Amino acid sequence: MKNFIKYDFYVQLFFLITGCLVTIIKGWDGWILFYFIVGIPQLISSLVRIFLKIKISPLFLIYGITILPVWISLVILITIGIDNEVTAIPTYIAMAAFFYSPFMALLYALESHNLYQSLK
């Protein structure tokens, strides 16, 4: 568990820096890629943390409550397709996340850092 926390911090930092560099290099197209470059590893990390029963802070809990519905909404939008009656709510969730998820990604990386520092 201690090794996972250490490696998880470095992985989160790597993908956060990579996402920022892609955003700077590619401009608007990079901004869209940022969500996937940073978000997918954070989603995997959060799921692993839940199953490994690693200490969950209030910030981590807020992250899960705000970000996991976005991924569920994207899966619904991709699998069902464009049907306005069925996908209205998931579309609104994904659009709202467009604004708050970069801040949540940064907070998640900071929380990983704090957890890593507490183990030293």
Side-chain angles (χ1 to χ4, degrees):
M1 183 166 72
K2 197 173 186 180
N3 283 335
F4 170 76
I5 293 169
K6 180 173 94 173
Y7 294 133
D8 182 50
F9 166 66
Y10 288 116
V11 167
Q12 297 308 319
L13 187 62
F14 170 77
F15 282 108
L16 189 61
I17 291 170
T18 302
C20 290
L21 288 174
V22 168
T23 301
I24 292 169
I25 293 169
K26 291 201 163 256
W28 182 252
D29 294 334
W31 183 251
I32 301 300
L33 288 173
F34 174 86
Y35 291 93
F36 295 99
I37 292 170
V38 176
I40 291 172
Q42 286 186 350
L43 175 67
I44 293 168
S45 170
S46 64
L47 292 174
V48 169
R49 283 186 185 196
I50 290 169
F51 291 117
L52 287 181
K53 308 243 189 251
I54 295 175
K55 178 181 139 185
I56 296 177
S57 69
L59 185 61
F60 178 77
L61 188 62
I62 292 168
Y63 176 85
I65 290 170
T66 58
I67 295 299
L68 286 178
V70 173
W71 289 104
I72 293 168
S73 299
L74 288 175
V75 168
I76 290 171
L77 288 171
I78 291 169
T79 57
I80 293 177
I82 305 300
D83 181 11
N84 289 337
E85 293 177 13
V86 177
T87 61
I89 292 174
T91 302
Y92 292 136
I93 292 172
M95 288 173 58
F98 183 76
F99 298 104
Y100 70 76
S101 64
F103 301 108
M104 294 305 295
L106 180 62
L107 291 176
Y108 186 87
L110 290 173
E111 184 62 25
S112 293
H113 176 356
N114 292 340
L115 186 59
Y116 173 62
Q117 290 297 324
S118 71
L119 294 176
K120 285 187 169 183

